Amino acid sequence: MVETYHQLLQQWAALAPDECSTTGHYRFQIKILPMVEKSSFSNPWRSINSENFTWRLHLGEDLILEQLNFVLLTVLYRCSARQSDINFTMIEQGTIVTISNGLKSQPHPHPALAALDAYIQLLEF
């Protein structure tokens, strides 16, 4: 799952450098949207680290869940800004996300990964 998360963030950074940028191996910065998270900085970015992601997820660390929730909310609000509907379908293999114009993610174990997968397709569209 760590490789998938890292690859999705890497694709996002390549497609939308004003939203997500690479700061180093497995390290990214995602622009904070006021609707998602408050910040006192004029140009705020939040650091995301996908290194050792699987290990931390198995330990149930709140930091990883907080990071995934931040990514999920950011994608939801970015889709909303583009006036794109986003739908979640839970199946045995995980979650599939579909964005209004028919862009569909692969099944992923966490909704944030599925949403990010579909959002990247929207950026490529």
Side-chain angles (χ1 to χ4, degrees):
M1 190 159 108
V2 67
E3 274 308 307
T4 301
Y5 189 45
H6 178 70
Q7 288 171 355
L8 289 170
L9 288 170
Q10 190 74 41
Q11 287 178 280
W12 187 11
L15 292 169
D18 59 325
E19 297 176 6
C20 180
S21 62
T22 306
T23 62
H25 191 61
Y26 289 99
R27 289 189 171 89
F28 300 87
Q29 285 188 328
I30 297 176
K31 189 170 187 180
I32 295 173
L33 301 174
M35 298 79 62
V36 175
E37 194 170 273
K38 300 264 187 249
S39 178
S40 58
F41 301 106
S42 61
N43 191 16
W45 292 80
R46 187 173 205 218
S47 294
I48 299 291
N49 184 351
S50 62
E51 192 173 27
N52 299 324
F53 182 78
T54 305
W55 175 76
R56 290 181 185 159
L57 188 62
H58 287 305
L59 291 178
E61 288 188 20
D62 290 339
L63 178 64
I64 294 303
L65 295 176
E66 180 184 318
Q67 179 172 301
L68 284 171
N69 288 338
F70 173 76
V71 168
L72 179 60
L73 283 173
T74 300
V75 170
L76 287 169
Y77 275 103
R78 294 221 181 263
C79 285
S80 174
R82 291 173 172 261
Q83 298 179 342
S84 300
D85 292 333
I86 185 167
N87 299 298
F88 296 81
T89 305
M90 310 302 178
I91 60 171
E92 192 172 309
Q93 296 86 357
T95 303
I96 296 174
V97 170
T98 306
I99 295 180
S100 60
N101 56 5
L103 301 171
K104 190 180 281 193
S105 75
Q106 297 295 314
H108 288 286
H110 193 282
L113 298 180
L116 186 52
D117 187 0
Y119 182 63
I120 289 166
Q121 292 179 51
L122 179 64
L123 291 175
E124 291 176 328
F125 185 66

